[in-house]
Amino acid sequence: MIGRRAYGLQFHVELTRAQLSVMQAHMPPGTAPSGEHMDDVEAAGRIMIGSFLDLAES
């Protein structure tokens, strides 16, 4: 956060299961999330995006 209105994220919190095959095809082997973890990745992303938007709108 910089000041009251500048925020940034350095990672992709919007990832979904639908994007998993694309990530796996373009990332080095073993670095993309596995399918077994995508439910957790999606849930965490929803929380983070919601919190980010709440903060940005305040």
Coordinates of all heavy atoms in Angstrom, one line a residue:
M1 N 0.9 -1.2 0.0 CA 0.0 0.0 0.0 C 0.9 1.2 0.0 O 1.9 1.3 0.7 CB -0.9 0.0 1.2 CG -1.8 1.2 1.3 SD -3.0 1.0 2.6 CE -2.2 1.9 3.9
I2 N 0.5 2.2 -0.8 CA 1.2 3.5 -0.8 C 0.1 4.5 -0.6 O -0.8 4.7 -1.4 CB 1.9 3.7 -2.2 CG1 3.0 2.7 -2.4 CG2 2.6 5.1 -2.2 CD1 3.6 2.7 -3.8
G3 N 0.3 5.3 0.5 CA -0.8 6.3 0.8 C -2.1 5.6 1.1 O -2.2 4.5 1.5
R4 N -3.2 6.3 0.7 CA -4.5 5.8 1.0 C -5.2 5.2 -0.2 O -6.2 4.6 -0.1 CB -5.4 6.9 1.5 CG -5.0 7.3 2.9 CD -6.1 8.1 3.7 NE -7.5 7.8 3.4 CZ -8.2 6.8 3.9 NH1 -7.6 5.9 4.7 NH2 -9.4 6.6 3.6
R5 N -4.6 5.4 -1.4 CA -5.3 4.9 -2.6 C -4.5 4.1 -3.6 O -5.0 3.8 -4.7 CB -5.9 6.1 -3.4 CG -7.0 6.8 -2.6 CD -8.2 6.0 -2.5 NE -9.2 6.7 -1.7 CZ -10.1 6.1 -1.0 NH1 -10.2 4.8 -1.0 NH2 -11.0 6.8 -0.4
A6 N -3.3 3.8 -3.4 CA -2.5 3.0 -4.3 C -2.2 1.7 -3.7 O -1.6 1.6 -2.6 CB -1.2 3.7 -4.6
Y7 N -2.6 0.6 -4.3 CA -2.4 -0.8 -3.8 C -1.9 -1.6 -4.9 O -2.2 -1.4 -6.1 CB -3.8 -1.4 -3.3 CG -4.4 -0.6 -2.2 CD1 -5.4 0.4 -2.6 CD2 -4.1 -0.7 -0.9 CE1 -6.0 1.2 -1.6 CE2 -4.7 0.0 0.1 CZ -5.6 1.0 -0.3 OH -6.2 1.7 0.7
G8 N -1.2 -2.7 -4.6 CA -0.7 -3.6 -5.6 C -0.6 -5.0 -5.1 O -0.5 -5.2 -3.9
L9 N -0.8 -5.9 -6.0 CA -0.6 -7.3 -5.7 C 0.5 -7.9 -6.6 O 0.5 -7.6 -7.8 CB -1.9 -8.1 -6.0 CG -3.1 -7.7 -5.1 CD1 -4.4 -8.3 -5.6 CD2 -2.9 -8.0 -3.7
Q10 N 1.3 -8.7 -6.1 CA 2.5 -9.2 -6.8 C 2.3 -10.7 -7.2 O 3.2 -11.3 -7.7 CB 3.7 -9.1 -6.0 CG 5.0 -9.3 -6.8 CD 6.2 -9.0 -6.0 OE1 6.2 -8.4 -4.9 NE2 7.4 -9.4 -6.4
F11 N 1.1 -11.2 -7.1 CA 0.8 -12.6 -7.5 C -0.6 -12.7 -8.0 O -1.4 -11.7 -7.9 CB 1.1 -13.5 -6.3 CG 0.4 -13.1 -5.1 CD1 -0.9 -13.5 -4.8 CD2 1.0 -12.2 -4.2 CE1 -1.5 -13.1 -3.6 CE2 0.4 -11.8 -3.0 CZ -0.9 -12.2 -2.8
H12 N -0.9 -13.8 -8.6 CA -2.2 -14.0 -9.2 C -3.2 -14.6 -8.2 O -3.2 -15.8 -8.1 CB -2.1 -14.8 -10.5 CG -1.4 -14.1 -11.6 ND1 -2.0 -13.1 -12.3 CD2 -0.1 -14.1 -12.0 CE1 -1.1 -12.6 -13.2 NE2 0.1 -13.2 -13.0
V13 N -4.0 -13.8 -7.6 CA -5.0 -14.4 -6.7 C -6.3 -14.7 -7.4 O -7.2 -15.3 -6.7 CB -5.3 -13.4 -5.5 CG1 -4.0 -13.1 -4.7 CG2 -5.9 -12.1 -6.0
E14 N -6.4 -14.5 -8.7 CA -7.7 -14.7 -9.4 C -7.7 -16.1 -10.1 O -8.6 -16.4 -10.8 CB -7.9 -13.6 -10.4 CG -7.0 -13.8 -11.7 CD -5.5 -13.4 -11.5 OE1 -5.1 -13.0 -10.5 OE2 -4.8 -13.5 -12.6
L15 N -6.7 -16.9 -9.8 CA -6.6 -18.2 -10.5 C -7.7 -19.1 -10.2 O -8.2 -19.2 -9.1 CB -5.3 -18.9 -10.2 CG -4.0 -18.1 -10.5 CD1 -2.8 -18.9 -10.0 CD2 -3.9 -18.0 -12.0
T16 N -8.2 -19.8 -11.2 CA -9.3 -20.8 -11.1 C -8.9 -22.1 -11.7 O -7.9 -22.2 -12.4 CB -10.6 -20.3 -11.8 OG1 -10.4 -20.3 -13.2 CG2 -11.0 -18.9 -11.3
R17 N -9.7 -23.1 -11.3 CA -9.4 -24.5 -11.9 C -9.4 -24.5 -13.4 O -8.7 -25.2 -14.1 CB -10.5 -25.4 -11.3 CG -10.2 -26.9 -11.7 CD -11.2 -27.8 -11.0 NE -11.1 -27.8 -9.6 CZ -10.2 -28.5 -8.9 NH1 -9.3 -29.2 -9.6 NH2 -10.1 -28.5 -7.6
A18 N -10.3 -23.6 -14.0 CA -10.4 -23.5 -15.5 C -9.0 -23.1 -16.1 O -8.8 -23.4 -17.2 CB -11.5 -22.6 -15.9
Q19 N -8.2 -22.4 -15.3 CA -6.9 -21.9 -15.9 C -5.8 -22.8 -15.6 O -4.6 -22.6 -16.0 CB -6.6 -20.5 -15.3 CG -7.7 -19.5 -15.6 CD -7.7 -18.3 -14.7 OE1 -7.5 -18.5 -13.5 NE2 -7.9 -17.1 -15.2
L20 N -6.0 -23.9 -14.8 CA -4.9 -24.8 -14.4 C -4.1 -25.4 -15.5 O -2.9 -25.3 -15.5 CB -5.5 -25.9 -13.5 CG -4.5 -26.9 -12.9 CD1 -3.5 -26.1 -12.0 CD2 -5.2 -27.9 -12.1
S21 N -4.8 -25.9 -16.6 CA -4.0 -26.5 -17.7 C -3.2 -25.5 -18.4 O -2.0 -25.8 -18.8 CB -5.0 -27.2 -18.7 OG -5.8 -26.2 -19.3
V22 N -3.6 -24.2 -18.5 CA -2.8 -23.2 -19.2 C -1.6 -22.9 -18.3 O -0.5 -22.8 -18.8 CB -3.6 -21.9 -19.4 CG1 -2.8 -20.8 -19.9 CG2 -4.8 -22.2 -20.3
M23 N -1.8 -22.8 -17.0 CA -0.6 -22.5 -16.1 C 0.4 -23.7 -16.2 O 1.6 -23.4 -16.3 CB -1.1 -22.4 -14.6 CG -1.8 -21.1 -14.3 SD -2.1 -20.9 -12.6 CE -3.2 -22.3 -12.2
Q24 N -0.1 -24.9 -16.1 CA 0.8 -26.0 -16.1 C 1.6 -26.1 -17.4 O 2.7 -26.5 -17.5 CB 0.0 -27.3 -15.9 CG -0.5 -27.4 -14.5 CD -1.4 -28.6 -14.2 OE1 -2.1 -29.0 -15.1 NE2 -1.5 -29.1 -13.0
A25 N 1.0 -25.7 -18.6 CA 1.6 -25.7 -19.9 C 2.7 -24.7 -20.0 O 3.7 -24.9 -20.8 CB 0.6 -25.6 -21.0
H26 N 2.6 -23.6 -19.3 CA 3.5 -22.5 -19.4 C 4.5 -22.3 -18.3 O 5.4 -21.4 -18.3 CB 2.7 -21.2 -19.7 CG 2.1 -21.1 -21.0 ND1 0.8 -21.6 -21.2 CD2 2.5 -20.7 -22.2 CE1 0.5 -21.5 -22.5 NE2 1.5 -21.0 -23.1
M27 N 4.4 -23.0 -17.2 CA 5.2 -22.9 -16.1 C 6.2 -24.1 -16.0 O 5.9 -25.1 -16.5 CB 4.4 -22.8 -14.8 CG 3.6 -21.6 -14.7 SD 2.5 -21.5 -13.2 CE 3.8 -21.2 -12.0
P28 N 7.4 -23.9 -15.4 CA 8.3 -25.0 -15.3 C 7.7 -26.1 -14.5 O 6.8 -25.9 -13.6 CB 9.5 -24.4 -14.4 CG 9.4 -22.9 -14.7 CD 7.9 -22.6 -14.9
P29 N 8.0 -27.4 -14.8 CA 7.5 -28.5 -14.2 C 7.5 -28.4 -12.6 O 8.5 -28.0 -12.1 CB 8.3 -29.7 -14.6 CG 8.9 -29.2 -15.9 CD 9.1 -27.7 -15.8
G30 N 6.4 -28.7 -12.0 CA 6.4 -28.7 -10.5 C 6.1 -27.3 -9.9 O 6.0 -27.3 -8.7
T31 N 6.0 -26.3 -10.7 CA 5.8 -25.0 -10.1 C 4.3 -24.5 -10.1 O 4.0 -23.6 -9.3 CB 6.6 -23.9 -10.8 OG1 6.3 -23.8 -12.2 CG2 8.1 -24.2 -10.7
A32 N 3.5 -25.0 -11.0 CA 2.1 -24.7 -11.0 C 1.3 -25.4 -9.9 O 1.7 -26.5 -9.5 CB 1.5 -25.0 -12.4
P33 N 0.3 -24.8 -9.4 CA -0.5 -25.6 -8.4 C -1.0 -26.9 -9.0 O -1.3 -27.0 -10.2 CB -1.7 -24.6 -8.1 CG -1.3 -23.3 -8.7 CD -0.3 -23.5 -9.7
S34 N -1.1 -27.9 -8.2 CA -1.7 -29.1 -8.6 C -3.2 -29.0 -8.5 O -3.8 -28.2 -7.8 CB -1.2 -30.3 -7.8 OG -1.7 -30.2 -6.5
G35 N -3.9 -29.9 -9.2 CA -5.4 -29.9 -9.2 C -6.0 -30.1 -7.8 O -7.0 -29.5 -7.5
E36 N -5.3 -30.9 -7.0 CA -5.8 -31.2 -5.7 C -5.8 -30.0 -4.8 O -6.5 -30.0 -3.8 CB -5.0 -32.3 -5.0 CG -3.6 -31.9 -4.7 CD -2.7 -33.0 -4.1 OE1 -2.2 -33.8 -4.9 OE2 -2.7 -33.1 -2.9
H37 N -5.1 -28.9 -5.1 CA -5.1 -27.7 -4.3 C -5.9 -26.5 -4.8 O -6.0 -25.5 -4.2 CB -3.6 -27.2 -4.1 CG -2.8 -28.2 -3.4 ND1 -2.9 -28.6 -2.1 CD2 -1.7 -29.0 -3.9 CE1 -2.0 -29.5 -1.8 NE2 -1.3 -29.8 -2.9
M38 N -6.5 -26.7 -6.0 CA -7.1 -25.6 -6.6 C -8.4 -25.1 -5.9 O -8.7 -23.9 -5.9 CB -7.5 -25.9 -8.1 CG -6.3 -25.9 -9.0 SD -5.3 -24.3 -8.9 CE -6.5 -23.1 -9.5
D39 N -9.1 -26.0 -5.2 CA -10.2 -25.5 -4.4 C -9.7 -24.5 -3.3 O -10.4 -23.5 -3.1 CB -11.0 -26.7 -3.8 CG -11.7 -27.5 -4.8 OD1 -12.0 -27.0 -5.9 OD2 -12.0 -28.7 -4.5
D40 N -8.6 -24.8 -2.7 CA -8.1 -24.0 -1.7 C -7.5 -22.7 -2.3 O -7.7 -21.6 -1.7 CB -6.9 -24.7 -0.9 CG -7.4 -25.8 -0.1 OD1 -8.6 -25.8 0.3 OD2 -6.6 -26.8 0.2
V41 N -6.9 -22.8 -3.5 CA -6.4 -21.6 -4.1 C -7.5 -20.7 -4.5 O -7.4 -19.4 -4.3 CB -5.5 -22.0 -5.4 CG1 -5.2 -20.8 -6.2 CG2 -4.3 -22.7 -5.0
E42 N -8.6 -21.2 -5.1 CA -9.7 -20.4 -5.4 C -10.4 -19.7 -4.2 O -10.7 -18.5 -4.3 CB -10.8 -21.2 -6.2 CG -10.3 -21.6 -7.6 CD -11.4 -22.3 -8.4 OE1 -12.6 -21.8 -8.4 OE2 -11.2 -23.4 -8.9
A43 N -10.5 -20.5 -3.2 CA -11.2 -19.9 -1.9 C -10.3 -18.8 -1.4 O -10.8 -17.7 -1.0 CB -11.4 -21.0 -0.9
A44 N -9.0 -19.0 -1.3 CA -8.1 -17.9 -0.8 C -8.2 -16.7 -1.7 O -8.2 -15.6 -1.2 CB -6.7 -18.5 -0.6
G45 N -8.2 -16.9 -3.0 CA -8.2 -15.8 -3.9 C -9.5 -15.0 -3.8 O -9.4 -13.8 -3.8
R46 N -10.6 -15.7 -3.6 CA -11.9 -14.9 -3.4 C -11.8 -14.1 -2.2 O -12.3 -12.9 -2.2 CB -13.1 -15.9 -3.3 CG -13.5 -16.4 -4.7 CD -14.8 -17.1 -4.6 NE -14.8 -18.3 -3.8 CZ -14.4 -19.5 -4.2 NH1 -14.0 -19.7 -5.5 NH2 -14.4 -20.6 -3.4
I47 N -11.3 -14.6 -1.1 CA -11.2 -13.8 0.2 C -10.2 -12.6 -0.1 O -10.5 -11.5 0.3 CB -10.6 -14.7 1.3 CG1 -11.7 -15.7 1.7 CG2 -10.2 -13.9 2.5 CD1 -11.2 -16.8 2.6
M48 N -9.1 -12.9 -0.7 CA -8.1 -11.8 -0.9 C -8.7 -10.7 -1.8 O -8.5 -9.5 -1.6 CB -6.8 -12.4 -1.5 CG -6.1 -13.3 -0.5 SD -4.8 -14.2 -1.2 CE -3.5 -13.0 -1.0
I49 N -9.3 -11.1 -2.9 CA -9.9 -10.1 -3.8 C -11.0 -9.3 -3.1 O -11.1 -8.1 -3.3 CB -10.4 -10.8 -5.1 CG1 -9.2 -11.2 -6.0 CG2 -11.2 -9.8 -5.9 CD1 -9.5 -12.1 -7.1
G50 N -11.8 -10.0 -2.4 CA -12.9 -9.3 -1.7 C -12.3 -8.3 -0.7 O -12.8 -7.2 -0.6
S51 N -11.3 -8.7 0.1 CA -10.7 -7.8 1.0 C -10.0 -6.6 0.3 O -10.1 -5.5 0.8 CB -9.6 -8.6 1.9 OG -10.2 -9.6 2.6
F52 N -9.3 -6.9 -0.8 CA -8.7 -5.9 -1.6 C -9.7 -4.8 -2.0 O -9.5 -3.6 -1.9 CB -8.0 -6.5 -2.7 CG -7.3 -5.5 -3.6 CD1 -6.0 -5.0 -3.3 CD2 -7.9 -5.1 -4.8 CE1 -5.4 -4.1 -4.2 CE2 -7.3 -4.1 -5.6 CZ -6.1 -3.7 -5.3
L53 N -10.8 -5.3 -2.6 CA -11.9 -4.4 -3.1 C -12.5 -3.6 -1.9 O -12.8 -2.4 -2.1 CB -12.9 -5.2 -3.9 CG -12.4 -5.7 -5.2 CD1 -13.5 -6.6 -5.8 CD2 -11.9 -4.7 -6.1
D54 N -12.8 -4.3 -0.8 CA -13.3 -3.5 0.4 C -12.4 -2.4 0.8 O -12.8 -1.3 1.0 CB -13.5 -4.5 1.5 CG -14.7 -5.5 1.3 OD1 -15.5 -5.2 0.4 OD2 -14.7 -6.5 2.1
L55 N -11.1 -2.7 0.8 CA -10.1 -1.7 1.2 C -10.0 -0.6 0.2 O -10.0 0.6 0.5 CB -8.7 -2.3 1.4 CG -7.6 -1.4 1.8 CD1 -7.9 -0.8 3.2 CD2 -6.3 -2.3 1.9
A56 N -10.0 -0.9 -1.1 CA -9.9 0.1 -2.2 C -11.1 1.0 -2.2 O -11.0 2.1 -2.6 CB -9.6 -0.6 -3.5
E57 N -12.3 0.4 -1.9 CA -13.5 1.2 -2.0 C -13.7 2.1 -0.7 O -14.6 2.9 -0.7 CB -14.7 0.3 -2.2 CG -14.7 -0.4 -3.6 CD -15.8 -1.4 -3.7 OE1 -16.4 -1.8 -2.7 OE2 -16.0 -1.8 -4.9
S58 N -13.0 1.9 0.3 CA -13.2 2.6 1.6 C -12.6 4.0 1.5 O -11.8 4.3 0.7 CB -12.7 1.8 2.8 OG -11.3 1.7 2.7

